[in-house]
PDB file of all heavy atoms in Angstrom:
ATOM      1  N   THR A  13     -17.510  -4.567  -9.491  1.00 98.00           N
ATOM      2  CA  THR A  13     -18.369  -4.512  -8.316  1.00 98.00           C
ATOM      3  C   THR A  13     -19.385  -5.623  -8.228  1.00 98.00           C
ATOM      4  O   THR A  13     -20.063  -5.760  -7.219  1.00 98.00           O
ATOM      5  CB  THR A  13     -19.137  -3.134  -8.257  1.00 98.00           C
ATOM      6  OG1 THR A  13     -19.733  -2.950  -9.496  1.00 98.00           O
ATOM      7  CG2 THR A  13     -18.174  -2.026  -7.902  1.00 98.00           C
ATOM      8  N   SER A  14     -19.473  -6.461  -9.316  1.00 96.00           N
ATOM      9  CA  SER A  14     -20.359  -7.598  -9.233  1.00 96.00           C
ATOM     10  C   SER A  14     -19.899  -8.645 -10.258  1.00 96.00           C
ATOM     11  O   SER A  14     -18.968  -8.420 -11.018  1.00 96.00           O
ATOM     12  CB  SER A  14     -21.787  -7.235  -9.442  1.00 96.00           C
ATOM     13  OG  SER A  14     -22.057  -7.160 -10.860  1.00 96.00           O
ATOM     14  N   ILE A  16     -18.654 -11.495 -12.788  1.00 98.00           N
ATOM     15  CA  ILE A  16     -17.422 -12.084 -13.168  1.00 98.00           C
ATOM     16  C   ILE A  16     -16.209 -11.305 -12.721  1.00 98.00           C
ATOM     17  O   ILE A  16     -15.177 -11.748 -12.209  1.00 98.00           O
ATOM     18  CB  ILE A  16     -17.436 -12.290 -14.727  1.00 98.00           C
ATOM     19  CG1 ILE A  16     -18.552 -13.295 -15.146  1.00 98.00           C
ATOM     20  CG2 ILE A  16     -16.059 -12.823 -15.191  1.00 98.00           C
ATOM     21  CD1 ILE A  16     -18.851 -13.296 -16.567  1.00 98.00           C
ATOM     22  N   PHE A  36     -20.100   0.344 -10.825  1.00 98.00           N
ATOM     23  CA  PHE A  36     -21.197   1.043 -10.161  1.00 98.00           C
ATOM     24  C   PHE A  36     -21.708   0.159  -8.999  1.00 98.00           C
ATOM     25  O   PHE A  36     -21.246  -0.961  -8.817  1.00 98.00           O
ATOM     26  CB  PHE A  36     -22.310   1.414 -11.116  1.00 98.00           C
ATOM     27  CG  PHE A  36     -21.798   2.187 -12.295  1.00 98.00           C
ATOM     28  CD1 PHE A  36     -22.382   2.005 -13.569  1.00 98.00           C
ATOM     29  CD2 PHE A  36     -20.813   3.223 -12.134  1.00 98.00           C
ATOM     30  CE1 PHE A  36     -21.924   2.739 -14.649  1.00 98.00           C
ATOM     31  CE2 PHE A  36     -20.369   3.900 -13.270  1.00 98.00           C
ATOM     32  CZ  PHE A  36     -20.935   3.688 -14.514  1.00 98.00           C
ATOM     33  N   MET A  63     -16.871   3.771 -17.692  1.00 98.00           N
ATOM     34  CA  MET A  63     -16.016   3.243 -18.731  1.00 98.00           C
ATOM     35  C   MET A  63     -16.432   3.631 -20.128  1.00 98.00           C
ATOM     36  O   MET A  63     -15.757   3.349 -21.148  1.00 98.00           O
ATOM     37  CB  MET A  63     -15.818   1.702 -18.667  1.00 98.00           C
ATOM     38  CG  MET A  63     -15.191   1.235 -17.382  1.00 98.00           C
ATOM     39  SD  MET A  63     -13.585   1.950 -16.932  1.00 98.00           S
ATOM     40  CE  MET A  63     -12.543   1.200 -18.225  1.00 98.00           C
ATOM     41  N   ASN A  89     -13.115  -5.966 -18.255  1.00 98.00           N
ATOM     42  CA  ASN A  89     -14.292  -6.791 -18.009  1.00 98.00           C
ATOM     43  C   ASN A  89     -15.600  -6.094 -18.039  1.00 98.00           C
ATOM     44  O   ASN A  89     -16.702  -6.657 -18.275  1.00 98.00           O
ATOM     45  CB  ASN A  89     -14.087  -7.453 -16.639  1.00 98.00           C
ATOM     46  CG  ASN A  89     -15.357  -8.131 -16.136  1.00 98.00           C
ATOM     47  OD1 ASN A  89     -15.674  -9.201 -16.581  1.00 98.00           O
ATOM     48  ND2 ASN A  89     -16.129  -7.431 -15.268  1.00 98.00           N
ATOM     49  N   TYR A 154     -23.872  -5.905 -28.999  1.00 98.00           N
ATOM     50  CA  TYR A 154     -23.009  -6.773 -28.106  1.00 98.00           C
ATOM     51  C   TYR A 154     -22.149  -7.698 -28.944  1.00 98.00           C
ATOM     52  O   TYR A 154     -20.905  -7.781 -28.687  1.00 98.00           O
ATOM     53  CB  TYR A 154     -23.927  -7.566 -27.207  1.00 98.00           C
ATOM     54  CG  TYR A 154     -23.284  -8.317 -26.030  1.00 98.00           C
ATOM     55  CD1 TYR A 154     -23.025  -7.692 -24.864  1.00 98.00           C
ATOM     56  CD2 TYR A 154     -22.982  -9.652 -26.192  1.00 98.00           C
ATOM     57  CE1 TYR A 154     -22.453  -8.488 -23.849  1.00 98.00           C
ATOM     58  CE2 TYR A 154     -22.382 -10.404 -25.168  1.00 98.00           C
ATOM     59  CZ  TYR A 154     -22.137  -9.751 -23.934  1.00 98.00           C
ATOM     60  OH  TYR A 154     -21.578 -10.461 -22.938  1.00 98.00           O
ATOM     61  N   VAL A 187     -23.513 -17.204 -17.756  1.00 98.00           N
ATOM     62  CA  VAL A 187     -23.140 -17.124 -16.332  1.00 98.00           C
ATOM     63  C   VAL A 187     -24.248 -16.379 -15.593  1.00 98.00           C
ATOM     64  O   VAL A 187     -24.680 -15.304 -16.109  1.00 98.00           O
ATOM     65  CB  VAL A 187     -21.801 -16.348 -16.148  1.00 98.00           C
ATOM     66  CG1 VAL A 187     -21.282 -16.454 -14.679  1.00 98.00           C
ATOM     67  CG2 VAL A 187     -20.765 -16.750 -17.144  1.00 98.00           C
ATOM     68  N   THR A 189     -25.258 -13.979 -13.654  1.00 94.00           N
ATOM     69  CA  THR A 189     -24.871 -12.720 -12.976  1.00 94.00           C
ATOM     70  C   THR A 189     -25.959 -11.702 -13.159  1.00 94.00           C
ATOM     71  O   THR A 189     -26.906 -12.020 -13.921  1.00 94.00           O
ATOM     72  CB  THR A 189     -23.542 -12.110 -13.652  1.00 94.00           C
ATOM     73  OG1 THR A 189     -23.926 -11.799 -14.983  1.00 94.00           O
ATOM     74  CG2 THR A 189     -22.409 -13.072 -13.607  1.00 94.00           C
TER      75      THR A 189
HETATM   76  P1  LIG B   1     -22.517  -7.742 -14.187  1.00 56.30           P
HETATM   77  O1  LIG B   1     -23.667  -6.917 -14.597  1.00 56.30           O
HETATM   78  O2  LIG B   1     -22.604  -8.594 -12.950  1.00 56.30           O
HETATM   79  O3  LIG B   1     -21.171  -6.835 -13.991  1.00 56.30           O
HETATM   80  C1  LIG B   1     -20.904  -5.775 -14.845  1.00 56.30           C
HETATM   81  C2  LIG B   1     -20.011  -4.896 -14.163  1.00 56.30           C
HETATM   82  O4  LIG B   1     -19.653  -3.754 -15.003  1.00 56.30           O
HETATM   83  C3  LIG B   1     -20.560  -4.245 -12.872  1.00 56.30           C
HETATM   84  O5  LIG B   1     -19.508  -4.075 -11.925  1.00 56.30           O
HETATM   85  C4  LIG B   1     -21.016  -2.883 -13.386  1.00 56.30           C
HETATM   86  O6  LIG B   1     -21.087  -1.938 -12.344  1.00 56.30           O
HETATM   87  C5  LIG B   1     -19.945  -2.556 -14.300  1.00 56.30           C
HETATM   88  N1  LIG B   1     -20.322  -1.502 -15.319  1.00 56.30           N
HETATM   89  C6  LIG B   1     -21.423  -1.449 -16.105  1.00 56.30           C
HETATM   90  N2  LIG B   1     -21.354  -0.320 -16.818  1.00 56.30           N
HETATM   91  C7  LIG B   1     -20.248   0.316 -16.501  1.00 56.30           C
HETATM   92  C8  LIG B   1     -19.615   1.523 -16.881  1.00 56.30           C
HETATM   93  N3  LIG B   1     -20.229   2.352 -17.811  1.00 56.30           N
HETATM   94  N4  LIG B   1     -18.474   1.913 -16.297  1.00 56.30           N
HETATM   95  C9  LIG B   1     -17.885   1.113 -15.352  1.00 56.30           C
HETATM   96  N5  LIG B   1     -18.388  -0.078 -14.963  1.00 56.30           N
HETATM   97  C10 LIG B   1     -19.563  -0.421 -15.492  1.00 56.30           C
HETATM   98  O7  LIG B   1     -22.148  -8.596 -15.453  1.00 56.30           O
HETATM   99  P2  LIG B   1     -21.216  -9.869 -15.724  1.00 56.30           P
HETATM  100  O8  LIG B   1     -22.059 -10.963 -16.289  1.00 56.30           O
HETATM  101  O9  LIG B   1     -20.315 -10.126 -14.588  1.00 56.30           O
HETATM  102  O10 LIG B   1     -20.376  -9.290 -16.940  1.00 56.30           O
HETATM  103  C11 LIG B   1     -18.978  -9.020 -16.896  1.00 56.30           C
HETATM  104  C12 LIG B   1     -18.418  -9.203 -18.303  1.00 56.30           C
HETATM  105  O11 LIG B   1     -18.625 -10.571 -18.678  1.00 56.30           O
HETATM  106  C13 LIG B   1     -19.113  -8.345 -19.344  1.00 56.30           C
HETATM  107  O12 LIG B   1     -18.143  -7.808 -20.229  1.00 56.30           O
HETATM  108  C14 LIG B   1     -20.016  -9.338 -20.085  1.00 56.30           C
HETATM  109  O13 LIG B   1     -20.250  -8.966 -21.375  1.00 56.30           O
HETATM  110  C15 LIG B   1     -19.144 -10.576 -19.965  1.00 56.30           C
HETATM  111  N6  LIG B   1     -19.948 -11.818 -20.181  1.00 56.30           N
HETATM  112  C16 LIG B   1     -20.928 -12.170 -19.319  1.00 56.30           C
HETATM  113  C17 LIG B   1     -21.606 -13.340 -19.589  1.00 56.30           C
HETATM  114  C18 LIG B   1     -22.740 -13.822 -18.691  1.00 56.30           C
HETATM  115  O14 LIG B   1     -23.393 -14.823 -18.987  1.00 56.30           O
HETATM  116  N7  LIG B   1     -22.993 -13.196 -17.569  1.00 56.30           N
HETATM  117  C19 LIG B   1     -21.284 -14.201 -20.658  1.00 56.30           C
HETATM  118  C20 LIG B   1     -20.229 -13.762 -21.475  1.00 56.30           C
HETATM  119  C21 LIG B   1     -19.557 -12.591 -21.220  1.00 56.30           C
END
Side-chain angles (χ1 to χ4, degrees):
T13 48
S14 82
I16 297 166
F36 304 143
M63 298 307 290
N89 169 77
Y154 189 85
V187 188
T189 63

